[in-house]
PDB file of all heavy atoms in Angstrom:
ATOM      1  N   GLU A  52     108.533 106.391  84.607  1.00 98.00           N
ATOM      2  CA  GLU A  52     108.073 105.376  85.560  1.00 98.00           C
ATOM      3  C   GLU A  52     108.107 103.988  84.915  1.00 98.00           C
ATOM      4  O   GLU A  52     108.407 103.003  85.588  1.00 98.00           O
ATOM      5  CB  GLU A  52     106.676 105.706  86.069  1.00 98.00           C
ATOM      6  CG  GLU A  52     106.611 106.946  86.953  1.00 98.00           C
ATOM      7  CD  GLU A  52     107.426 106.845  88.237  1.00 98.00           C
ATOM      8  OE1 GLU A  52     107.834 105.754  88.628  1.00 98.00           O
ATOM      9  OE2 GLU A  52     107.673 107.913  88.852  1.00 98.00           O
ATOM     10  N   GLU A  55     111.356 102.558  85.306  1.00 98.00           N
ATOM     11  CA  GLU A  55     111.596 102.039  86.664  1.00 98.00           C
ATOM     12  C   GLU A  55     111.063 100.613  86.789  1.00 98.00           C
ATOM     13  O   GLU A  55     111.616  99.808  87.546  1.00 98.00           O
ATOM     14  CB  GLU A  55     110.971 102.973  87.706  1.00 98.00           C
ATOM     15  CG  GLU A  55     111.727 104.304  87.786  1.00 98.00           C
ATOM     16  CD  GLU A  55     111.159 105.268  88.830  1.00 98.00           C
ATOM     17  OE1 GLU A  55     110.304 104.884  89.636  1.00 98.00           O
ATOM     18  OE2 GLU A  55     111.593 106.432  88.818  1.00 98.00           O
ATOM     19  N   GLU A  78     104.478  98.822  93.051  1.00 98.00           N
ATOM     20  CA  GLU A  78     104.548 100.280  93.223  1.00 98.00           C
ATOM     21  C   GLU A  78     104.887 100.992  91.922  1.00 98.00           C
ATOM     22  O   GLU A  78     104.305 102.035  91.608  1.00 98.00           O
ATOM     23  CB  GLU A  78     105.570 100.627  94.310  1.00 98.00           C
ATOM     24  CG  GLU A  78     105.076 100.273  95.689  1.00 98.00           C
ATOM     25  CD  GLU A  78     105.992 100.758  96.807  1.00 98.00           C
ATOM     26  OE1 GLU A  78     107.047 101.343  96.512  1.00 98.00           O
ATOM     27  OE2 GLU A  78     105.634 100.535  97.981  1.00 98.00           O
ATOM     28  N   GLU A  79     105.807 100.434  91.170  1.00 98.00           N
ATOM     29  CA  GLU A  79     106.176 101.087  89.899  1.00 98.00           C
ATOM     30  C   GLU A  79     105.037 100.998  88.883  1.00 98.00           C
ATOM     31  O   GLU A  79     104.810 101.941  88.124  1.00 98.00           O
ATOM     32  CB  GLU A  79     107.472 100.501  89.334  1.00 98.00           C
ATOM     33  CG  GLU A  79     108.710 100.701  90.211  1.00 98.00           C
ATOM     34  CD  GLU A  79     108.946 102.138  90.663  1.00 98.00           C
ATOM     35  OE1 GLU A  79     108.423 103.077  90.048  1.00 98.00           O
ATOM     36  OE2 GLU A  79     109.661 102.321  91.667  1.00 98.00           O
ATOM     37  N   ASP A  82     102.753 103.641  89.744  1.00 98.00           N
ATOM     38  CA  ASP A  82     103.266 104.938  89.276  1.00 98.00           C
ATOM     39  C   ASP A  82     102.943 105.134  87.795  1.00 98.00           C
ATOM     40  O   ASP A  82     102.553 106.226  87.368  1.00 98.00           O
ATOM     41  CB  ASP A  82     104.790 105.027  89.474  1.00 98.00           C
ATOM     42  CG  ASP A  82     105.176 105.223  90.932  1.00 98.00           C
ATOM     43  OD1 ASP A  82     104.322 105.609  91.750  1.00 98.00           O
ATOM     44  OD2 ASP A  82     106.368 104.996  91.247  1.00 98.00           O
TER      45      ASP A  82
HETATM   46 MG1  LIG B 206     108.413 105.111  90.551  1.00 52.94          MG
END
Side-chain angles (χ1 to χ4, degrees):
E52 292 298 345
E55 291 181 10
E78 288 187 358
E79 297 309 340
D82 286 343

